[in-house]
Each structure stands twice: as C-alpha cells, then as structure tokens.
Amino acid sequence: MPTISCSLANADATVNKRRTFRKFSYRGVDLEQLLDVSSEQLMEMVPCRARRKFKRGLKRKPMGLIKKLRLAKQNALPNEKPAVVKTHLRNMIIVPEMIGSIVGVYNGKTFNQVEIKPEMIGHYLGEFSITYKIVNHGRPGMGATHSSRFIPLK
C-alpha cells in the first residue's frame, strides 16, 4: 500500500510543475533585444555570406518586401496572423523584423506559405520553400521508363 500513495504523490508533483519553455536567443542575444538591434549590430551577428549581402546594401525589391510585411502586420487584427505577402525573393535573408509574418515564397510553380519564426533568422526564404517534388519510388510500370517491365497478374 505505501508504494501506491508514493506514486500518487509523484503524479501530483508532476501535474503541479509547469512546463518551462526554452527562451530563444540568437548568438547569445535574446529575442526582445534582437528586435531593438540596429542593422549594423545585426550585421555583426549574422554569418559571413549574409554579412556581405547586407554590406553591399539592400536593394529596392528586398526593401519593398520588408515594407509590405510591416504593412501586413499593422493591418492585422490583434491576436490574428497577418495577411500573406507573396514574393519571388528566395534569396532574401530573414531579419528579426520579419518574425511573425507569413510569406508566400515562390518555388517555380506555386507560392508556399512560410510563417517566419525566430529560429529562421539569418537563413534564406528559399530554404523553407522546396523547389522539387519529393520522389516516391512506387511500383514498376507506373512511369514511362518502366512501362516495359513485366508485372505478373495475381
């Protein structure tokens, strides 16, 4: 009998203990500070390729995308997701300002919706919109190349 009461006490302790979430930080800087960081300070944090791209300057199209994302966030109702902003800019590097936005990234055929999360900072938009259809190696005889293969009837 004492073992049952002991296990119930352990169960109550686990129910009372709240689940703690890991606080996000990018290169040692937490999310709240990351949103307030200037572009020069962000440039120091990102990898070399992204740093070079920022150093050469953001052109008209990437700045236009950021403006559209800002506008979509402003027009969104409180506690609602912003409208999807479609783009062909697969080479756009994700910056902290874009977090929480939904971007339709073109993959050559359709626009794949990507919700920008803090873990995506420093990556390209194109990394989250796959451009090819994953091959399902099915049964022989389905495709044109294996049409001559003999398939016995059961």
Side-chain angles (χ1 to χ4, degrees):
M1 280 295 178
T3 56
I4 294 171
S5 62
C6 182
S7 63
L8 288 175
N10 289 340
D12 288 336
T14 55
V15 170
N16 290 340
K17 192 166 76 171
R18 286 288 228 170
R19 191 170 151 209
T20 56
F21 292 100
R22 185 178 61 88
K23 195 169 180 117
F24 175 77
S25 67
Y26 180 76
R27 310 262 170 131
V29 180
D30 49 325
L31 187 58
E32 291 79 30
Q33 294 172 346
L34 204 58
L35 293 170
D36 299 330
V37 162
S38 69
S39 57
E40 287 79 26
Q41 291 171 325
L42 178 68
M43 210 168 83
E44 297 297 320
M45 287 186 245
V46 293
C48 180
R49 172 51 50 186
R51 192 172 28 235
R52 184 174 196 274
K53 187 167 185 168
F54 286 134
K55 198 173 193 177
R56 292 171 65 85
L58 286 177
K59 304 294 188 269
R60 187 171 177 222
K61 285 186 178 180
M63 287 307 295
L65 174 64
I66 289 175
K67 284 181 184 175
K68 284 182 184 178
L69 291 171
R70 264 188 223 138
L71 197 79
K73 270 190 184 178
Q74 286 174 359
N75 294 343
L77 298 170
N79 300 326
E80 289 289 320
K81 290 184 179 178
V84 178
V85 178
K86 291 182 178 180
T87 184
H88 281 240
L89 298 175
R90 297 175 56 82
N91 63 347
M92 176 71 185
I93 294 168
I94 296 171
V95 292
E97 190 179 354
M98 297 167 75
I99 293 173
S101 301
I102 299 176
V103 184
V105 184
Y106 194 64
N107 68 354
K109 186 177 181 181
T110 58
F111 290 92
N112 294 340
Q113 287 189 11
V114 177
E115 186 176 351
I116 308 296
K117 296 184 171 73
E119 293 82 22
M120 298 178 178
I121 294 172
H123 291 271
Y124 290 96
L125 281 175
E127 292 180 51
F128 306 102
S129 176
I130 196 164
T131 57
Y132 55 89
K133 187 179 175 203
I134 297 165
V135 178
N136 295 327
H137 295 286
R139 295 182 57 227
M142 294 301 208
T145 55
H146 298 293
S147 58
S148 60
R149 187 175 288 175
F150 174 70
I151 304 168
L153 295 170
K154 291 184 180 179

